[in-house]
Amino acid sequence: MHTQIVRAAGRKFRILDLGKAFGPDLERLPYVLRILLENNLRNAGDGDAMAGLFRDWLRTGRSEAEVPFAPSRVLMHDTTCVPALVDIAAMRDAIAESGGDPTSLSPVIPVDVSVDHSIAVDRFAAADAFPFNMAKEVQRNAERYRLMKWATKALPGFRVHPPGTGIMHTINLEQLASVIAVVMRDGEEWAVPDTLLGTDSHTPMINGIGVLAWGVGGLEAESAIFGMPVTLRLPDVLGVYLSGRLPAGTLSTDLALAVTSRLRSYGVSGQFVEFFGPGVSTLTAGDRAVVANMAPEYGASTGYFPIDENTVRYLAATGRPKELTARIEAIAKAMMLWFDPAARPRYTDILQLELSQIRTTLAGPRRPQDLVRPGDLPRVLKQLAGKAPPYLAASGIPEGAVAIAAVTSCTNTSDPSLLVAAGLVARKARKLGMKPPCWVKTSLAPGSPAAQRYLARSGLLEDFEAVGFGIVGFGCTTCIGNSGPLPPEMEAAITSGLNAVAVLSGNRNFPGRIHPHLRNGFLASPPMVVAYALAGDVMRDISCDPVGQSDGGRQIYLSDLWPDPSEVDAVLAANADSTDYGKAFHDARQNAAWANLVAPDAPQFPWDVSSTYIRRPPFASANQPNRLGAYEAYPLLVLGDDMTTDHVSPAGQITQDSIAGKHLTARSVSADDLNVLAARRGNWEVMVRGLFDNRDALNYLAPQAPPGYTIHIPSGEIAPLWDVACRYRDAQASTIIIAGERYGTGSSRDWAAKGVALMGVRAVLALSFERIHRTNLVGMGILPIILPKEATAGRFTYEPGNRIFIDATAVRPRSEIHIRIERNDGSELSFRGLIAIETELELMMMEAGGVIPLILSRAVAGTGRSRR
């Protein structure tokens, strides 16, 4: 192994000498692959052979080679960690029941968990909104939080950041990421690139400061936590060449939306994306983090910005120790990881983007990749309304009213410049006597409690509050669908046919995600959210039409409200304090409600048989079915394009008349206490009954059936999906799901795969899969099959009575599979699909019945404690 000693910050560090290990061609290798190379050379046995795989990649920009990846840490949030903890608790029970030591299943790398996905906007535009919402959060979720506190005692290296400490990705940016980490190896201090996996699709936000990370499902995270190798095919790397500079008044949100649209149009699907060129140097670390955050929206595994001066500047601004900031440049340069704006690495392909051409924009109303200019919103909404009966605005609420205006999400609240810009819009509106109309539900939910400090110091927090944007919490809130109830007059108007919308600074706007009554949502920068709240509707060109009136009756335009970049810079310069971040985080950790929660203190979790939140799952055992083989299958569902994980496993409010709601009320749960599906992810019995309970998850087998229902083909009966699945299972009949393009896009939602596995589905056939969901399917032993375009899977030429035959007996990664359909009219359709398995390890998972049996076998064999 080629190493060298580097002196930095008064200390000596051993590093891997990538230049010597790889040779002069290292400068041609993308930065993301340099980090993967370092990771492999440091952890793999045969360094020369591993380096050879990366040299082979350089020749063509592609490779089929598999490489291991050893992340230094794992990051989770409360609604992905709870199902993982339920799995872990059940696996420990399985080990104990087989006579083993349950503590043999223990983490081998650090795990950080942020409690950020459960707080809801129950109260807003009130002085007590923040404490009220915090209290409601703990009240609703105490049982889940006790499970998490149990884990901090039972699992070494498992750390939970309590409610109120911020959103996981913001915490990662401001507190956890080191960029260059220090580890002890053979008695020496090694400096290594900071790397991680996160159980949230927006984990790549940390790519904005040069940390290589990507989102995975909870199942893949579990395998990493317990020391199983994480393998991936050496990725295609798309280089995005940035030139120029963003125009004055154009924000990083606008750039992120433009990148999302451009890369989705290109057809990005799982590739690593790396930004290079002179334009990168003009972007602050905050700008970069916004663009990197939306990697899942543009279909990428990463959206990587290499380490440079702006990285170090950001770490200093957020209060990192001088010892850390002082070592980064020297070590990154020695490892050839320091960004050179003139460098031209070899990429699989290159796209060019001129920053000076980016303009203020929004995205929506139903997909984040659909750019729309402010002047186009009225036309877009009118087209969607189609032939619907006209809405009679007797309540005074107009068509296209803004029901929700939320400055929310890690995406656009982690960069102080965006919050300050929004605060300046609020300040100018306040001076003019402007306020949002009464029907607009306003909220401010920063990703970090540090935001409260600099906003208060600058006086902008008071300005925000004056126009209804008081802080409602530090968490995902509206972005994840925890938007809370709408004002009664808005609920009534929507019931009467009003086409209302949400405008938010989030990252997703799938129908029903933001609120079950809102099918249309527009993504926008924080200052634009405040402007639309003041306007009250989107049926205007806000860029040139009046936003509203001053208290003196003067027409006020966006140009009267929009801050100049120099104004933003002046506020930041006068009020930024690097000590805010550490102090705010420390104070938020002193959460009395969290501290007072009593949690079990034992190696095994004590299940409560009466619990409606935490239930031992049946799949967390060593004996799981192998779903491969040759079989005839019934389609359980036939779906169209863009079936997101929100469609498959919704996260929002459980209604009393839903299948999951009826299940809970039958178990004496009050109709007022059903909570959201995201909070019930520790209860498999609820989650399977919530699958596909989304009005936009159209099932072409039974298009007139309610959400969550399907047809039992042998009998022709329409029934709840879970009931139909049980009938097939009892009859030992095989089932599959058929879908169109981009199946499983969206959140890294394990239950979109776990629930389908519990229904007995053997394979999912789709025109294309989103990366994280594909790995989740494999992790549950479900075979993902990519259909050829000619199969027209979007509406599939399937009719009840047709017979589908699948031969999955000789499965290999990326091999073909034979599929045959015998139609009712006697004709036959035969074609070959592509097995969407990437690595030999994934094939092992399929053959074992999923990743959990492999984890258990490793723990029982005594290897669960060792680092790979």
Side-chain angles (χ1 to χ4, degrees), residues 282-472:
T282 70
L283 300 174
T284 67
D287 293 332
R288 299 172 190 182
V290 174
V291 176
N293 179 284
M294 292 194 70
E297 277 65 56
Y298 45 81
S301 295
T302 69
Y304 187 77
F305 289 87
I307 305 164
D308 69 357
E309 296 90 347
N310 283 339
T311 305
V312 178
R313 195 172 294 124
Y314 175 81
L315 293 174
T318 51
R320 301 310 215 284
K322 289 183 179 179
E323 189 281 326
L324 168 63
T325 57
R327 73 173 179 242
I328 290 175
E329 182 172 354
I331 292 171
K333 284 182 174 177
M335 299 180 78
M336 297 184 71
L337 299 178
W338 189 260
F339 178 62
D340 177 2
R344 298 292 185 274
R346 198 259 197 263
Y347 293 105
T348 308
D349 200 357
I350 291 175
L351 292 180
Q352 298 196 22
L353 192 63
E354 171 56 49
L355 296 178
S356 64
Q357 295 179 359
I358 304 300
R359 295 291 182 268
T360 300
T361 190
L362 296 90
R366 297 179 181 178
R367 299 192 308 177
Q369 64 261 44
D370 297 331
L371 284 189
V372 55
R373 301 296 180 194
D376 293 334
L377 267 64
R379 174 184 56 79
V380 169
L381 278 189
K382 287 175 181 176
Q383 287 176 343
L384 286 173
K387 297 181 179 179
Y391 163 68
L392 302 177
S395 64
I397 303 178
E399 187 70 23
V402 176
I404 290 174
V407 177
T408 181
S409 98
C410 54
T411 311
N412 292 296
T413 68
S414 298
D415 182 359
S417 66
L418 290 175
L419 282 184
V420 167
L424 287 171
V425 171
R427 171 170 291 176
K428 295 181 181 188
R430 179 189 183 190
K431 288 180 178 178
L432 291 164
M434 300 175 70
K435 286 189 176 182
C438 62
W439 61 76
V440 183
K441 182 170 188 176
T442 50
S443 61
L444 168 60
S448 160
Q452 185 176 36
R453 298 194 173 211
Y454 63 74
L455 289 175
R457 187 180 300 116
S458 64
L460 291 175
L461 184 57
E462 187 177 327
D463 295 316
F464 266 127
E465 292 169 345
V467 294
F469 282 90
I471 291 178
V472 297

Side-chain angles (χ1 to χ4, degrees), residues 441-575:
K441 182 170 188 176
T442 50
S443 61
L444 168 60
S448 160
Q452 185 176 36
R453 298 194 173 211
Y454 63 74
L455 289 175
R457 187 180 300 116
S458 64
L460 291 175
L461 184 57
E462 187 177 327
D463 295 316
F464 266 127
E465 292 169 345
V467 294
F469 282 90
I471 291 178
V472 297
F474 301 109
C476 303
T477 60
T478 300
C479 185
I480 196 63
N482 291 344
S483 53
L486 296 175
E489 59 269 35
M490 178 57 73
E491 291 265 12
I494 292 173
T495 302
S496 300
L498 172 69
N499 186 16
V501 305
V503 182
L504 71 158
S505 62
N507 42 49
R508 289 184 180 139
N509 51 356
F510 307 136
R513 175 186 171 94
I514 298 162
H515 191 281
H517 294 326
L518 298 176
R519 303 187 71 235
N520 300 315
F522 293 96
L523 307 181
S525 66
M528 189 63 82
V529 171
V530 176
Y532 272 108
L534 294 166
D537 67 72
V538 297
M539 304 304 285
R540 70 186 74 197
D541 182 351
I542 202 169
S543 62
C544 59
D545 294 337
V547 175
Q549 290 186 341
S550 69
D551 52 6
R554 180 167 67 90
Q555 299 278 49
I556 304 301
Y557 294 84
L558 189 63
S559 58
D560 299 317
L561 302 172
W562 202 259
D564 185 85
S566 62
E567 296 178 79
V568 176
D569 293 342
V571 170
L572 288 171
N575 298 283

Side-chain angles (χ1 to χ4, degrees), residues 632-635 713 796-805 820-827:
E632 178 183 354
Y634 290 103
I713 291 172
F796 212 86
T797 54
Y798 179 86
E799 296 176 357
N802 291 354
R803 304 178 68 191
I804 301 178
F805 298 89
R820 180 167 56 88
I821 300 176
E822 293 181 0
R823 293 197 176 101
N824 296 334
D825 61 6
S827 63

Side-chain angles (χ1 to χ4, degrees), residues 609-622:
V609 294
S610 64
S611 173
T612 59
Y613 277 95
I614 309 295
R615 308 285 287 174
R616 182 175 174 177
F619 50 73
S621 69

